[in-house]
Amino acid sequence: MDLPQQVIELGDLTLRRFDREADLTELDRVIEESLEHLSPWMPFVADHSRAKTAEFLGRRHEAWESGRAFTYAIVLGGAIVGACQLFRREGGPENRRELGYWLHPAATGRGVATRAARALVDQAFRFPGVDHVEIVHDPANRASGAVPARLGFTELLRRPAERRGAAGTGEEQVWRLARHQAEQAASEAR
């Protein structure tokens, strides 16, 4: 089974696989401090607790080992400032991966999510047979939508949301980047 890098160094930014025991206290604090920022868009924070954070970290370990999902701590200045994930949606095609991200409000507006997403796109295209990556978010969440737009994704469709955040529209905006688009962008950047 192919697995992505466990640590991705991006200058002052590091993406690293979560350590379920060592990261529990810090991740729980970051989520707690981010509740107001995240709750409009991310239904999972509605019932946030330390026990839920521990459960989340435990599931991330299992998902990584099985190859279903790869969740990283986003670390800036030595501190966790969010999380990002590369995964195959259950029942989704083998040739597609999806990625998601969230940040502590103090880390927004500095390109952190864009850099993290770019790194996960690179990891996704290392998997044999993966020919496109998608990002899905509520269309009202303009900050999340700016990331795929900056990375050259194109809007594929809008569909009813599986789960709705407090400020959500009830719709999901799906962006897609094909392997050939990513390769072309990389060659143009050189």
Side-chain angles (χ1 to χ4, degrees):
M1 170 184 3
D2 294 306
L3 298 174
Q5 292 174 256
Q6 291 192 33
V7 177
I8 304 168
E9 297 288 348
L10 304 167
D12 64 333
L13 182 67
T14 300
L15 307 182
R16 64 167 175 76
R17 183 178 176 179
F18 275 107
D19 179 319
R20 58 184 164 183
E21 287 86 22
D23 290 332
L24 175 58
T25 298
E26 186 175 8
L27 179 61
D28 188 60
R29 179 189 50 77
V30 171
I31 294 170
E32 187 69 33
E33 291 176 1
S34 303
L35 288 175
E36 186 177 329
H37 172 71
L38 297 175
S39 64
W41 316 114
M42 305 185 92
F44 81 87
V45 301
D47 60 349
H48 170 73
S49 68
R50 184 178 175 89
K52 292 278 186 183
T53 302
E55 182 182 317
F56 168 81
L57 288 172
R59 286 193 322 265
R60 295 311 90 207
H61 181 77
E62 289 175 25
W64 188 292
E65 294 302 318
S66 71
R68 287 189 323 270
F70 308 99
T71 307
Y72 293 86
I74 301 174
V75 180
L76 185 63
I80 295 174
V81 297
C84 58
Q85 181 179 53
L86 175 63
F87 62 100
R88 184 172 148 246
R89 194 175 284 263
E90 192 169 323
E94 284 289 330
N95 68 334
R96 179 181 72 210
R97 294 298 181 273
E98 189 172 320
L99 63 94
Y101 40 83
W102 65 264
L103 292 173
H104 185 285
T108 63
R110 301 189 298 183
V112 172
T114 301
R115 291 169 60 201
R118 181 179 293 119
L120 292 186
V121 166
D122 292 345
Q123 293 297 306
F125 288 137
R126 290 179 181 199
F127 287 104
V130 171
D131 60 18
H132 59 276
V133 177
E134 293 180 351
I135 294 176
V136 179
H137 66 91
D138 191 289
N141 187 343
R142 297 192 190 283
S144 280
V147 171
R150 280 193 291 271
L151 294 176
F153 282 66
T154 55
E155 184 177 347
L156 179 65
L157 60 93
R158 294 184 184 213
R159 64 186 181 208
E162 291 178 10
R163 292 181 70 195
R164 182 178 178 173
T169 62
E171 191 175 51
E172 293 177 333
Q173 186 172 0
V174 180
W175 297 78
R176 178 177 283 177
L177 181 69
R179 180 186 294 269
H180 73 274
Q181 291 172 296
E183 290 169 352
Q184 181 180 353
S187 70
E188 290 172 2
R190 288 180 228 171

